[in-house]
């Protein structure tokens, strides 16, 4: 194990990691990650599937022992004293770890007992959480009958049983439909307001932006950018005008028109016949671009103002699109599960 | 909380969870309870007429054999349950809790003992219906049942290791099906070994399943005192079976525990 740099973060950092490395054979899943999460704040680890987000979280939550590097959570070293760390954290993984043959109440009661809250307190806490997560009506149904959103809420409730000061959530909304995702965001925002320190991983910039104070972008096991959502968006170039065309000729023509208007950052996706340009003037720029295209006799199939996506972040930061290991968007839970099994 | 106290408390929480699950998954219960009843009826009435055991009523000979086979199959629930928990991420949840980590395996194997007690009661009742009787003292019979349950408990730890190695319940079930059938059939279980070919007979006589079944028969008084003993294990079936129980536990408790730590840390 390598020697940690002398800086170990300040007392106010709930999570500190220095030079975390994890290898699987020839593959380096995490290649020296440094991070710190000040108490009471939210850090988002943003990156595509396979970037090393989950491995990082597994090391910080004592599920994996790092090959090198050090980390402390709530002031406790994760390698030296894993059980003390476990007392102070809650973890909700990527694959809602609820026992589907137990009821919602039984799931939470069991977790409370295993946190050694005692029989009475475990029961009370289970009921409190079911109430808080709007699961009271389903409390005595087996979790098998729950919807995806309900399972996630139950899993998250499980992570909160012992009121841990530090919470780790691995892709809390992956695989959820938009409505459940919104529900989850509201729940998380209200929790964070109450002073919990949160480290979450996500594939969605929107999610990171909505919940996190700081964002770390991670790719191939390395931190490639860090900052607030605003800082990252500035790096990415804020908003974009995106135009989709009917023919290759129009694509070339549009590229020329947009380069003239915006001077520089114009990206052409040939197969999609899509031309994108970074803009700073919002809708004014869009209107201007459309009138220029119209003047050049071009009628786009689709045109609009786009907010930066994670793909844009990656394109800007790495000069290539985010490498999706699974599917188009990588947010299909079943696909992700299949992939995990294939690796097992 | 003292560490032993914590292991026991956490194990009982895990065991309780497994017992609830068995109640909730009817096919698991049906598979565990119905198949031994079916075996008793099939062997007693289909094969029973063709298999002759000198000096012993076949039903008396058979029922302890079914006991042994069934409790060994009962021990496999540990393996498929662990494989299932690995696959579903529940082991990750356990690993992130400040609980005694050994409780996952201790609780898991303990819950198999509870199901096996239930299974033995059902089988004994069915046995009584078809004409099997306990002809020994109460104490001897208790020793017989305890031996069956202890042996199955030891086997649970082998199953724990296998379940953690294969990692999917389907693969685990295939594996145990093709291994447990030969192990329980090439033994003094359903037919007397005297009629086996020489090599198979030697294997059968040293197979701990044979000594377990023989011990059970003797404890229940199902074989007459002068019944042919064969090799040393069958002359000292209780001792030989205890040696196996101890050896299995000594080897497989540490191996399964180590594999649990490894498998969870991937």
């Amino acid at each position: 194990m390598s020697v940690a740099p002398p800086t170990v973060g300040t007392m106010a950092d709930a999570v500190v990691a220095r030079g975390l490395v994890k290898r699987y054979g020839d593959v380096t899943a995490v290649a020296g990650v440094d991070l710190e999460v000040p108490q009471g704040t939210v850090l988002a680890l943003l990156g595509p599937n396979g970037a090393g987000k989950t491995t990082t979280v597994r090391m910080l939550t004592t599920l994996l022992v790092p090959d090198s590097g050090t980390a402390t959570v709530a002031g406790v070293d994760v390698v030296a004293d894993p059980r003390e760390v476990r007392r102070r954290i809650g973890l909700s993984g990527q694959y809602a770890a609820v026992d589907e043959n137990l009821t919602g109440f039984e799931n939470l009661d069991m977790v409370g007992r295993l946190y050694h809250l005692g029989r009475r307190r475990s029961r009370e806490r289970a009921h409190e959480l079911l109430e808080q997560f709007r699961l009271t009506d389903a409390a005595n149904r087996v979790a098998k009958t729950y919807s995806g959103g309900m399972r996630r809420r139950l899993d998250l409730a499980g992570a909160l049983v012992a009121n841990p000061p530090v919470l780790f959530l691995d892709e809390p909304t992956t695989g959820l439909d938009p409505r459940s995702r919104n529900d989850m965001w509201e729940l998380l925002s209200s929790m964070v307001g109450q002073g919990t320190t949160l480290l979450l991983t996500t594939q969605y910039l929107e999610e990171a932006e909505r919940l996190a104070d700081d964002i770390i972008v991670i790719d191939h096991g390395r931190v490639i950018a860090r900052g607030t959502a605003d800082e990252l968006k500035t790096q990415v170039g804020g908003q974009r005008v995106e135009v989709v065309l009917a023919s290759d000729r129009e694509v070339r023509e549009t590229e020329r028109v947009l380069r003239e208007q915006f001077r520089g950052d114009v990206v052409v996706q040939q197969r999609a016949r899509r031309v994108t340009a970074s803009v700073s003037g919002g809708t004014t720029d869009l209107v201007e671009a459309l009138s220029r295209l119209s003047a050049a006799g071009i009628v786009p199939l689709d045109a609009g103002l786009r907010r930066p996506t994670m793909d844009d972040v990656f394109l800007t930061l790495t000069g290539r699109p985010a490498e999706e290991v699974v599917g188009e968007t990588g947010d299909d839970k079943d696909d992700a599960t299949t992939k995990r099994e294939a690796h097992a | 909380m003292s560490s032993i106290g914590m292991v026991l408390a956490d194990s009982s929480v895990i065991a309780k969870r497994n017992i609830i699950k068995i109640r909730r998954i009817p096919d698991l219960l049906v598979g565990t309870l119905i198949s031994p009843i079916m075996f008793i009826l099939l062997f007693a009435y289909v094969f029973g007429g063709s298999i002759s055991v000198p000096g012993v009523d076949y039903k008396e000979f058979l029922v302890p054999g079914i006991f042994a086979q069934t409790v060994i199959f009962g021990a496999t629930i540990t393996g498929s349950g662990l494989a299932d928990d690995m696959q579903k991420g529940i082991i990750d949840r356990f690993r992130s809790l400040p609980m005694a980590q050994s409780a996952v395996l201790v609780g898991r194997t303990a819950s198999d003992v509870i199901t096996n007690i239930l299974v033995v009661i059902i089988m004994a009742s069915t046995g009584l219906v078809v004409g099997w009787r306990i002809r020994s003292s109460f104490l001897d019979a208790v020793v017989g049942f305890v031996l069956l349950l202890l042996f199955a408990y030891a086997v649970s730890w082998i199953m724990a290791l296998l379940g953690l190695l294969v990692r999917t319940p389907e693969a685990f079930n295939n594996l145990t099906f093709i291994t447990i059938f030969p192990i329980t059939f090439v033994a003094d279980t359903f037919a007397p070994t005297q009629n086996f070919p020489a090599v198979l007979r030697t294997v059968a006589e040293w197979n701990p399943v044979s000594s377990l079944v023989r011990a059970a028969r003797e404890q229940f008084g199902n074989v007459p005192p002068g019944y042919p003993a064969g090799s040393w294990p069958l002359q000292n079936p209780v001792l030989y079976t205890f040696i196996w129980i101890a050896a299995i536990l000594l080897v497989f408790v540490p191996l399964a525990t180590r594999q649990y730590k490894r498998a969870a840390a991937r």
Side-chain angles (χ1 to χ4, degrees), chain B residues 41-68:
Chain B
L41 297 177
L42 281 179
F43 273 92
Y45 296 110
V46 178
F47 299 121
S50 319
I51 305 173
S52 70
V53 186
V56 186
D57 174 53
Y58 184 64
K59 283 165 191 155
E60 302 260 318
F61 180 86
L62 167 75
V63 170
I66 305 267
F67 280 174

Side-chain angles (χ1 to χ4, degrees), chain A residues 24 58 62-64 83 86 91 97 99-102 106 110 113-116 142 155 158-159 341 344, chain B residues 6 10 13 17 20-21 24-25 87-90 92-101 264-266:
Chain A
Y24 295 99
R58 289 174 71 84
T62 77
L63 300 187
L64 275 182
R83 188 173 286 168
R86 290 177 197 142
L91 167 67
D99 189 329
E100 53 185 20
N101 295 304
L102 298 188
E106 286 165 348
M110 175 180 74
R113 297 298 301 277
L114 295 174
Y115 268 114
H116 308 125
V142 289
D155 188 44
E341 282 164 10
Chain B
M6 186 160 97
D10 292 350
V13 173
R17 162 204 178 227
I20 292 175
K21 282 177 75 141
R24 297 263 161 80
I25 317 173
Q87 202 179 31
K88 295 200 170 126
I90 291 168
D92 278 1
R93 162 63 38 94
F94 288 148
R95 288 253 305 160
S96 75
L97 297 176
M99 60 184 286
Q101 289 303 314
R266 291 225 312 209

Side-chain angles (χ1 to χ4, degrees), chain A residues 123-304:
Chain A
R123 282 190 194 153
E124 281 170 12
R125 186 66 184 138
H127 286 303
E128 281 167 29
L129 285 163
L130 288 164
E131 171 106 35
Q132 188 188 340
F133 285 77
R134 303 194 318 277
L135 291 167
T136 301
D137 291 342
N140 295 318
R141 267 165 49 200
V142 289
K144 204 183 282 185
T145 64
Y146 285 20
S147 69
M150 289 164 79
R151 279 185 197 214
R152 280 303 173 98
R153 296 211 299 275
L154 182 60
D155 188 44
L156 179 59
L160 295 174
V161 164
N163 275 318
V166 186
L167 194 58
F168 293 88
L169 303 179
D170 192 12
E171 303 202 6
T173 66
T174 294
L176 290 186
D177 59 60
R179 194 172 151 254
S180 311
R181 178 170 297 167
N182 258 311
D183 278 1
M184 188 59 99
W185 284 347
E186 262 162 43
L187 254 170
L188 294 176
S189 311
S190 69
M191 264 166 35
V192 168
Q194 291 156 23
T196 308
T197 304
L198 171 62
L199 189 154
L200 70 102
T201 74
T202 181
Q203 304 187 33
Y204 311 111
L205 184 62
E206 191 191 354
E207 181 162 290
E209 190 181 347
R210 173 136 178 200
L211 297 172
D213 301 296
D214 292 298
I215 298 171
I216 284 183
V217 184
I218 170 168
D219 184 37
H220 290 304
R222 289 179 193 284
V223 174
I224 56 172
R226 57 180 86 211
T228 64
D230 281 343
E231 286 164 357
L232 282 176
K233 270 163 57 186
T234 313
Q235 279 192 52
V236 180
Q239 293 171 317
R240 299 164 170 256
V241 162
E242 188 181 284
V243 184
V244 181
L245 301 132
S247 72
D248 292 342
R249 188 192 58 78
E250 284 180 320
V251 169
R252 285 191 298 275
E253 195 65 5
T254 303
E255 187 187 359
R256 189 187 57 75
V257 171
L258 294 185
R259 274 198 200 286
E260 206 176 278
Q261 183 188 351
F262 299 112
R263 318 221 161 271
D265 192 13
V266 175
V267 176
V268 178
Q269 287 160 283
Q270 286 293 355
R271 283 183 64 188
R273 296 211 181 94
R274 183 184 293 134
V275 183
T276 318
S278 300
V279 302
S280 49
T283 47
T284 320
D285 281 340
L286 177 64
V287 171
E288 169 79 16
L290 287 176
S291 71
R292 283 178 186 231
L293 288 174
S294 169
I298 297 167
V299 184
L301 290 177
D302 184 21

